Amino acid sequence: MKVPSRLKVRPSGVARAVHDAVRPARLLLVVKTMLAVGLAWAIAPHMPGVTDEYPYYAPLGALVSMYPTLMGSAKSSLQTLLGLATGIALATLIVVTVGPTWWSIPLVVGLGVLVSGTGWFGVGREYVPMAALFVLIIGGQNADDYSLGYLTQMAVGVVVGLLVNMLIAPAPLTAAAAARVDAFRAQLGEHLHDIGSAVSESWPPEHEQWADDAASLAETTASLRTALAEADESRRGNPRARGRRAETGHIHEDLASLDRIAHLIRDISDATADTIWDRPGGLALDPALPEPLSAACHAVADVIALKDPSAPESRRLRGEATRAVRLLLERVDDRTIDARRSMGPGVLIAMHLRRILILSAPPSNAEEDAED
């Protein structure tokens, strides 16, 4: 009997990009950026001395200071101002010596690019050669006034941006990171379901998407680590990050377990694909194994997808999965004795499924599952 495939239509890259662009945290950043730019532009003409002649740099300073996290804003702002000051210093050195010429301008730009490669300036590295070039070409004979106005107005914009970001503090990204980890857990469960459906289909299976999706699991894990690092960064210095709801320790633990589970599922996927499509290194799957192997994959997949491993339902699902894996192992043992040959894919998948059950268990149940 043919088992219907559980393969789902994956969201396109465009859909994910649009979803990320309209997230509440992103929309809040949009509003704060607009407010900071508007305030900086309103303040800039009232600056003393010659600095009021260069008001257009204040909105630019506000723009570069706006980051999703408070610490990110402070860090990027300081790096930008440091890059500007260094570029202005290089240009000043040229002005007081040989002056702007056809060879000195490219030289100072080259020096700026060279210095920016030191890693000292972070996101402000691009402003080192840019500031030097602007001072020499736009400042010209008024390089001193231009340099003062450029740096001062950028600093005004940066201060305005930092104040706006502090007064309207962004929410910690902890909830978003936790939601993405939960989605990854569901993705792993669906992928194992797909493998279980594939091995029970008519051979070779009609669907191959599950084999292609296995390679994306590592990329997903890497992107989740980045998202979790951003969540940690969003808590630093943030008055809205107080309380246990903003803590990320448990999310790190969940992601570490899911990462190990993803490695095991990828191994299962590769071994199954090698067997199904008779790739080099693939071992034949005994005709008696697809049914218990499929059942074990589906049962363990249900356990992976549980958000709360300590929930009452968890014990029932874990019991069913443990029995399904035990039946698979018994069938593998029986067929190994009867056929007098290795049940390669069956052994590997059974071992990995047992390991996944142990990794999916609450700490209090891990030893019990290992013994079972």
PDB file of all heavy atoms in Angstrom, residues 289-311:
ATOM      1  N   LEU A 289      12.281  -4.411   5.832  1.00  0.00           N
ATOM      2  CA  LEU A 289      12.595  -3.273   6.717  1.00  0.00           C
ATOM      3  C   LEU A 289      11.825  -1.983   6.442  1.00  0.00           C
ATOM      4  O   LEU A 289      11.648  -1.186   7.364  1.00  0.00           O
ATOM      5  CB  LEU A 289      14.098  -2.976   6.664  1.00  0.00           C
ATOM      6  CG  LEU A 289      15.017  -4.061   7.232  1.00  0.00           C
ATOM      7  CD1 LEU A 289      16.468  -3.598   7.190  1.00  0.00           C
ATOM      8  CD2 LEU A 289      14.615  -4.419   8.656  1.00  0.00           C
ATOM      9  N   PRO A 290      11.395  -1.700   5.197  1.00  0.00           N
ATOM     10  CA  PRO A 290      10.738  -0.395   4.968  1.00  0.00           C
ATOM     11  C   PRO A 290       9.572  -0.096   5.905  1.00  0.00           C
ATOM     12  O   PRO A 290       9.425   1.023   6.386  1.00  0.00           O
ATOM     13  CB  PRO A 290      10.275  -0.499   3.510  1.00  0.00           C
ATOM     14  CG  PRO A 290      11.276  -1.393   2.883  1.00  0.00           C
ATOM     15  CD  PRO A 290      11.598  -2.418   3.936  1.00  0.00           C
ATOM     16  N   GLU A 291       8.720  -1.100   6.183  1.00  0.00           N
ATOM     17  CA  GLU A 291       7.550  -0.832   7.026  1.00  0.00           C
ATOM     18  C   GLU A 291       7.926  -0.430   8.445  1.00  0.00           C
ATOM     19  O   GLU A 291       7.480   0.635   8.930  1.00  0.00           O
ATOM     20  CB  GLU A 291       6.640  -2.060   7.042  1.00  0.00           C
ATOM     21  CG  GLU A 291       5.379  -1.833   7.874  1.00  0.00           C
ATOM     22  CD  GLU A 291       4.496  -3.061   7.904  1.00  0.00           C
ATOM     23  OE1 GLU A 291       4.761  -4.000   7.125  1.00  0.00           O
ATOM     24  OE2 GLU A 291       3.539  -3.083   8.712  1.00  0.00           O
ATOM     25  N   PRO A 292       8.750  -1.217   9.182  1.00  0.00           N
ATOM     26  CA  PRO A 292       9.108  -0.780  10.542  1.00  0.00           C
ATOM     27  C   PRO A 292      10.003   0.446  10.535  1.00  0.00           C
ATOM     28  O   PRO A 292       9.944   1.259  11.470  1.00  0.00           O
ATOM     29  CB  PRO A 292       9.847  -1.993  11.122  1.00  0.00           C
ATOM     30  CG  PRO A 292      10.337  -2.752   9.945  1.00  0.00           C
ATOM     31  CD  PRO A 292       9.293  -2.559   8.881  1.00  0.00           C
ATOM     32  N   LEU A 293      10.813   0.602   9.488  1.00  0.00           N
ATOM     33  CA  LEU A 293      11.677   1.783   9.415  1.00  0.00           C
ATOM     34  C   LEU A 293      10.828   3.038   9.246  1.00  0.00           C
ATOM     35  O   LEU A 293      11.061   4.061   9.909  1.00  0.00           O
ATOM     36  CB  LEU A 293      12.651   1.626   8.242  1.00  0.00           C
ATOM     37  CG  LEU A 293      13.847   2.575   8.178  1.00  0.00           C
ATOM     38  CD1 LEU A 293      15.000   1.914   7.416  1.00  0.00           C
ATOM     39  CD2 LEU A 293      13.484   3.880   7.499  1.00  0.00           C
ATOM     40  N   SER A 294       9.825   2.967   8.371  1.00  0.00           N
ATOM     41  CA  SER A 294       8.930   4.112   8.168  1.00  0.00           C
ATOM     42  C   SER A 294       8.180   4.452   9.450  1.00  0.00           C
ATOM     43  O   SER A 294       8.073   5.623   9.836  1.00  0.00           O
ATOM     44  CB  SER A 294       7.950   3.807   7.042  1.00  0.00           C
ATOM     45  OG  SER A 294       7.007   4.856   6.898  1.00  0.00           O
ATOM     46  N   ALA A 295       7.671   3.431  10.127  1.00  0.00           N
ATOM     47  CA  ALA A 295       6.926   3.667  11.367  1.00  0.00           C
ATOM     48  C   ALA A 295       7.806   4.311  12.429  1.00  0.00           C
ATOM     49  O   ALA A 295       7.371   5.230  13.152  1.00  0.00           O
ATOM     50  CB  ALA A 295       6.362   2.339  11.881  1.00  0.00           C
ATOM     51  N   ALA A 296       9.063   3.857  12.538  1.00  0.00           N
ATOM     52  CA  ALA A 296       9.974   4.429  13.525  1.00  0.00           C
ATOM     53  C   ALA A 296      10.298   5.885  13.189  1.00  0.00           C
ATOM     54  O   ALA A 296      10.341   6.748  14.087  1.00  0.00           O
ATOM     55  CB  ALA A 296      11.258   3.600  13.590  1.00  0.00           C
ATOM     56  N   CYS A 297      10.504   6.180  11.918  1.00  0.00           N
ATOM     57  CA  CYS A 297      10.798   7.569  11.512  1.00  0.00           C
ATOM     58  C   CYS A 297       9.625   8.489  11.857  1.00  0.00           C
ATOM     59  O   CYS A 297       9.815   9.586  12.406  1.00  0.00           O
ATOM     60  CB  CYS A 297      11.097   7.634  10.019  1.00  0.00           C
ATOM     61  SG  CYS A 297      12.726   7.027   9.540  1.00  0.00           S
ATOM     62  N   HIS A 298       8.402   8.051  11.546  1.00  0.00           N
ATOM     63  CA  HIS A 298       7.229   8.882  11.838  1.00  0.00           C
ATOM     64  C   HIS A 298       7.061   9.081  13.346  1.00  0.00           C
ATOM     65  O   HIS A 298       6.736  10.179  13.801  1.00  0.00           O
ATOM     66  CB  HIS A 298       5.975   8.228  11.262  1.00  0.00           C
ATOM     67  CG  HIS A 298       5.862   8.336   9.773  1.00  0.00           C
ATOM     68  ND1 HIS A 298       5.979   9.532   9.093  1.00  0.00           N
ATOM     69  CD2 HIS A 298       5.639   7.389   8.824  1.00  0.00           C
ATOM     70  CE1 HIS A 298       5.836   9.334   7.802  1.00  0.00           C
ATOM     71  NE2 HIS A 298       5.628   8.034   7.609  1.00  0.00           N
ATOM     72  N   ALA A 299       7.285   8.031  14.124  1.00  0.00           N
ATOM     73  CA  ALA A 299       7.100   8.133  15.574  1.00  0.00           C
ATOM     74  C   ALA A 299       8.133   9.066  16.195  1.00  0.00           C
ATOM     75  O   ALA A 299       7.793   9.905  17.049  1.00  0.00           O
ATOM     76  CB  ALA A 299       7.193   6.744  16.205  1.00  0.00           C
ATOM     77  N   VAL A 300       9.385   8.936  15.779  1.00  0.00           N
ATOM     78  CA  VAL A 300      10.436   9.803  16.319  1.00  0.00           C
ATOM     79  C   VAL A 300      10.230  11.238  15.846  1.00  0.00           C
ATOM     80  O   VAL A 300      10.488  12.196  16.589  1.00  0.00           O
ATOM     81  CB  VAL A 300      11.829   9.281  15.917  1.00  0.00           C
ATOM     82  CG1 VAL A 300      12.925  10.257  16.354  1.00  0.00           C
ATOM     83  CG2 VAL A 300      12.084   7.907  16.530  1.00  0.00           C
ATOM     84  N   ALA A 301       9.743  11.424  14.618  1.00  0.00           N
ATOM     85  CA  ALA A 301       9.479  12.773  14.107  1.00  0.00           C
ATOM     86  C   ALA A 301       8.448  13.486  14.963  1.00  0.00           C
ATOM     87  O   ALA A 301       8.545  14.697  15.211  1.00  0.00           O
ATOM     88  CB  ALA A 301       9.012  12.702  12.657  1.00  0.00           C
ATOM     89  N   ASP A 302       7.433  12.753  15.438  1.00  0.00           N
ATOM     90  CA  ASP A 302       6.420  13.359  16.320  1.00  0.00           C
ATOM     91  C   ASP A 302       7.049  13.828  17.628  1.00  0.00           C
ATOM     92  O   ASP A 302       6.635  14.850  18.201  1.00  0.00           O
ATOM     93  CB  ASP A 302       5.310  12.350  16.609  1.00  0.00           C
ATOM     94  CG  ASP A 302       4.412  12.107  15.401  1.00  0.00           C
ATOM     95  OD1 ASP A 302       4.354  13.003  14.531  1.00  0.00           O
ATOM     96  OD2 ASP A 302       3.790  11.028  15.328  1.00  0.00           O
ATOM     97  N   VAL A 303       8.036  13.095  18.118  1.00  0.00           N
ATOM     98  CA  VAL A 303       8.718  13.481  19.353  1.00  0.00           C
ATOM     99  C   VAL A 303       9.556  14.735  19.127  1.00  0.00           C
ATOM    100  O   VAL A 303       9.578  15.646  19.956  1.00  0.00           O
ATOM    101  CB  VAL A 303       9.603  12.331  19.871  1.00  0.00           C
ATOM    102  CG1 VAL A 303      10.438  12.784  21.060  1.00  0.00           C
ATOM    103  CG2 VAL A 303       8.742  11.145  20.269  1.00  0.00           C
ATOM    104  N   ILE A 304      10.256  14.811  18.001  1.00  0.00           N
ATOM    105  CA  ILE A 304      11.091  15.982  17.701  1.00  0.00           C
ATOM    106  C   ILE A 304      10.247  17.247  17.679  1.00  0.00           C
ATOM    107  O   ILE A 304      10.649  18.294  18.195  1.00  0.00           O
ATOM    108  CB  ILE A 304      11.791  15.807  16.335  1.00  0.00           C
ATOM    109  CG1 ILE A 304      12.794  14.666  16.390  1.00  0.00           C
ATOM    110  CG2 ILE A 304      12.509  17.105  15.933  1.00  0.00           C
ATOM    111  CD1 ILE A 304      13.417  14.350  15.046  1.00  0.00           C
ATOM    112  N   ALA A 305       9.059  17.155  17.093  1.00  0.00           N
ATOM    113  CA  ALA A 305       8.227  18.345  16.897  1.00  0.00           C
ATOM    114  C   ALA A 305       7.610  18.878  18.176  1.00  0.00           C
ATOM    115  O   ALA A 305       7.031  19.967  18.176  1.00  0.00           O
ATOM    116  CB  ALA A 305       7.125  18.037  15.879  1.00  0.00           C
ATOM    117  N   LEU A 306       7.714  18.157  19.289  1.00  0.00           N
ATOM    118  CA  LEU A 306       7.144  18.619  20.547  1.00  0.00           C
ATOM    119  C   LEU A 306       7.868  19.865  21.044  1.00  0.00           C
ATOM    120  O   LEU A 306       9.081  19.856  21.220  1.00  0.00           O
ATOM    121  CB  LEU A 306       7.241  17.521  21.603  1.00  0.00           C
ATOM    122  CG  LEU A 306       6.267  16.347  21.469  1.00  0.00           C
ATOM    123  CD1 LEU A 306       6.666  15.239  22.438  1.00  0.00           C
ATOM    124  CD2 LEU A 306       4.839  16.803  21.756  1.00  0.00           C
ATOM    125  N   LYS A 307       7.124  20.926  21.285  1.00  0.00           N
ATOM    126  CA  LYS A 307       7.727  22.144  21.813  1.00  0.00           C
ATOM    127  C   LYS A 307       8.095  21.998  23.284  1.00  0.00           C
ATOM    128  O   LYS A 307       9.089  22.556  23.748  1.00  0.00           O
ATOM    129  CB  LYS A 307       6.771  23.326  21.637  1.00  0.00           C
ATOM    130  CG  LYS A 307       6.564  23.748  20.186  1.00  0.00           C
ATOM    131  CD  LYS A 307       5.687  24.979  20.111  1.00  0.00           C
ATOM    132  CE  LYS A 307       5.484  25.423  18.670  1.00  0.00           C
ATOM    133  NZ  LYS A 307       4.642  26.643  18.584  1.00  0.00           N
ATOM    134  N   ASP A 308       7.264  21.274  24.012  1.00  0.00           N
ATOM    135  CA  ASP A 308       7.499  21.082  25.439  1.00  0.00           C
ATOM    136  C   ASP A 308       7.688  19.589  25.714  1.00  0.00           C
ATOM    137  O   ASP A 308       6.706  18.839  25.810  1.00  0.00           O
ATOM    138  CB  ASP A 308       6.321  21.623  26.260  1.00  0.00           C
ATOM    139  CG  ASP A 308       6.555  21.512  27.763  1.00  0.00           C
ATOM    140  OD1 ASP A 308       7.674  21.138  28.157  1.00  0.00           O
ATOM    141  OD2 ASP A 308       5.615  21.813  28.530  1.00  0.00           O
ATOM    142  N   PRO A 309       8.948  19.129  25.836  1.00  0.00           N
ATOM    143  CA  PRO A 309       9.185  17.699  26.054  1.00  0.00           C
ATOM    144  C   PRO A 309       8.688  17.185  27.403  1.00  0.00           C
ATOM    145  O   PRO A 309       8.639  15.983  27.628  1.00  0.00           O
ATOM    146  CB  PRO A 309      10.712  17.579  25.952  1.00  0.00           C
ATOM    147  CG  PRO A 309      11.230  18.940  26.268  1.00  0.00           C
ATOM    148  CD  PRO A 309      10.194  19.900  25.759  1.00  0.00           C
ATOM    149  N   SER A 310       8.314  18.099  28.298  1.00  0.00           N
ATOM    150  CA  SER A 310       7.810  17.669  29.604  1.00  0.00           C
ATOM    151  C   SER A 310       6.291  17.638  29.660  1.00  0.00           C
ATOM    152  O   SER A 310       5.706  17.356  30.715  1.00  0.00           O
ATOM    153  CB  SER A 310       8.342  18.605  30.694  1.00  0.00           C
ATOM    154  OG  SER A 310       7.898  19.940  30.478  1.00  0.00           O
ATOM    155  N   ALA A 311       5.612  17.940  28.535  1.00  0.00           N
ATOM    156  CA  ALA A 311       4.155  17.945  28.504  1.00  0.00           C
ATOM    157  C   ALA A 311       3.621  16.515  28.669  1.00  0.00           C
ATOM    158  O   ALA A 311       4.311  15.543  28.349  1.00  0.00           O
ATOM    159  CB  ALA A 311       3.660  18.540  27.188  1.00  0.00           C
TER     160      ALA A 311
END
